[in-house]
Amino acid sequence: MAILRAAFCAALLILSGGLAVAQDVTLSSRDGSVTIRGTLLSFDGEYYRVDTEYGELTVDGSGVTCAGPACPNLQAYVAEMVISGAATTGEVLLPALIEAFGMRNGYAVTRAPGGEREIVFTLTERGGSQVAGRFTVRSTNTDEGFADLLANEADIVMALREIRPGELRRAIEAGMGNLRAAGRNRVLALDALVPIVAPGHPLTELTVTDLARIYSGEIDNWQMLGGADAPIVPHLLASGSGLGQAVEDRLLLPVEADLAAGAVRHGSDRALVAAVLADPFAIGLTTASETGLAQQLALSGDCGFSLDASRRNAKTEDYPLTAPVFLYMPARRLPKLVREFLAYTRSPAAQMVIRRAGFVDQQPEEVPIADQGARFANAIARAGEEVSLSDLQRMVSVLTPYKRLTTSFRFEAGSSLLDAQSRSNVDQLAAALESGVYDGREIMFVGFSDGDGAAPVNQRIAMERAKAVERAVVAAARAADLDRLSLRVEAFGEAMPMACDDSAWGRQVNRRVEVWLR
C-alpha cells in the first residue's frame, strides 16, 4: 500500500480530471479548533479530498477554510471530468449526450482536440464567459480505459464488457471501491454483437453454435454450412477491445474453445467492416450500430425461430449476443455538474439521443400480445411431452389481458445471479416505480425456465426466480408508494422457449423473468 500511495501521490490526479503537481494544503474549521494537513487530491466544488497521515479524507468545503498554494479558486471553479475507454462509445455516443445535456441546461458547448484521441468539451454559461465544466473524452479501448482509471488518469471508464477480476482487485487495492457494486457501474446504452458478411451473400441466418465453430476454426469452409466450396475467413476486433474480448468470453469460452489461428483482428469497427465488404468469403463480428453496408445475419436454432439484432430484441435480451455499454465509476465524489450529467443520461430525453446515435436505448416499451405471435407459435410448435396443451392454454389465458414490457431479467451463466444488463434493469424499474410511472397498474413478474430437467422442477425454479426479481425491485424502490399499484408473480416454466436447450447460450436465453403490465 505504501508503494501504491507513493505512486499515487507522484502522479496526482485532481478528481475533476486535470493533472496537478502534488502540493500540501491546510484545512481549518471556522472556529480554528480542527486543522487537517495533507496533499489535496481533488475538489469537486463542494468537497475537498485530502491524503493525510490518517489516510484519505473527504471534507465538506462549507465548513472549512483552505490555505496553501494548491487551494482552488472558489469563485472560478470549473468542474472537470476525464472519461476514457471504448472508442465505439467515445466517438459518437458520449459527444452526442454531452452536447444534448449542455443544450438542455443552458450551456454553450464547444469541442476542441485534446491529447491523442481526445476531444475536450467546454461548457460555458450562455451570455457570459464563465466556464462551468470541461469534459475530456478519450477514445481508445476498454483495456486502456481501465488502465487509465487505475493510473488515476481518468474518472470514468467506458467499457464494452464487464470489469475483469484482476482489474476489480487492483481497483479495490487502490481505494476505488468495488466497481461491481451498486452505484459503481451502470449500463449507459445497449448494442448487439452481430455476424456480418458481404452484401448478396446467400447465408441469411446462423446458429450461435455454428458461429462459435467458425471462430474456433472447427468450421472453416462455407460448404460445411451448405454454401460454396470456399474457405471462411473470420474477422473480429483487436484483443484490447471490449467487443474483441466479448467474442472470446461469450462465444468461445462457453464451449471451451480457442480462437482460430486464421482469425483476423482489426483496430476499429470501420476497418473490420471494410475488410468484410472487400472479401466475399469473410465473416465478421461487430456491433449492430457499426455494420455499415454489410449484411447482418440473424441468429437461429433448430428449435427456435430466428432473431435479428433489433432494438426490441436487444432490450429484452431475447437476442443472445446483446452487448451492454457500461460506465464504471470509482467510489469517490464527482463534481456536481458531472453528477447532473450522469443523472441526465437516464432521462427519457437522453434515451432519444441514444437512439439517434445508433445505439439501443433503455426506455421501456409495452408490447401487445398481438405483436408476439411468433413467440407463441414457437411455444406451440416446440412444446415437448412435459408441456401439455392445458399448460399452453393457461399461459395464453393469463397473459392475454397484459402487455409485455421490454424490461426483462436474465441470469449469469451457471448462476442464480442477475447479469449486468438485468442488474441495471432493476435500478431502472425501481426508479420508474418511485416516480409513479406505473401507478394504478398491475405489474406481473413472469418466470420462465430452460427445458433441462423435469418440468415440475423447472416450474418451481421459474417461480422462485420471479419472486427473487420482484424482491430485488421492491428493495431498490425504497421511495416508492407500492400501495398505488399492484404486484403479482407468475411462472410458466419451460412453456415458451426462445432458443434451443442443447447449448449453454440457448439455456441462458430461456432462463428469464419477463415483466407484463395491465
Side-chain angles (χ1 to χ4, degrees), residues 165-178:
E167 295 163 338
L168 178 63
R169 183 179 63 255
R170 290 192 294 274
I172 293 173
E173 291 172 350
M176 296 180 179
N178 180 0

Side-chain angles (χ1 to χ4, degrees), residues 379-396:
I380 295 170
R382 307 315 307 183
E385 295 181 358
E386 294 190 275
V387 179
S388 67
L389 176 60
S390 62
D391 293 331
L392 295 175
Q393 289 174 331
R394 186 179 81 86
M395 179 177 70
V396 173

Side-chain angles (χ1 to χ4, degrees), residues 81-145:
M81 170 184 70
V82 175
I83 181 166
S84 175
T88 302
T89 309
E91 292 175 352
V92 177
L93 182 55
L94 257 296
L97 287 169
I98 291 170
E99 290 177 341
F101 166 75
M103 183 181 301
R104 188 176 184 85
N105 289 275
Y107 297 110
V109 182
T110 58
R111 63 165 72 188
E116 184 179 0
R117 303 193 71 175
E118 283 186 355
I119 302 176
V120 180
F121 296 85
T122 302
L123 282 66
T124 307
E125 301 283 356
R126 288 194 184 275
S129 59
Q130 176 63 43
V131 174
R134 195 173 292 114
F135 294 177
T136 300
V137 179
R138 185 178 301 146
S139 300
T140 52
N141 58 50
T142 297
D143 275 4
E144 290 293 327

Side-chain angles (χ1 to χ4, degrees), residues 3-19:
I3 295 174
L4 284 172
R5 180 167 294 174
F8 179 71
C9 294
L12 183 63
L13 173 75
I14 295 298
L15 170 64
S16 58
L19 294 172

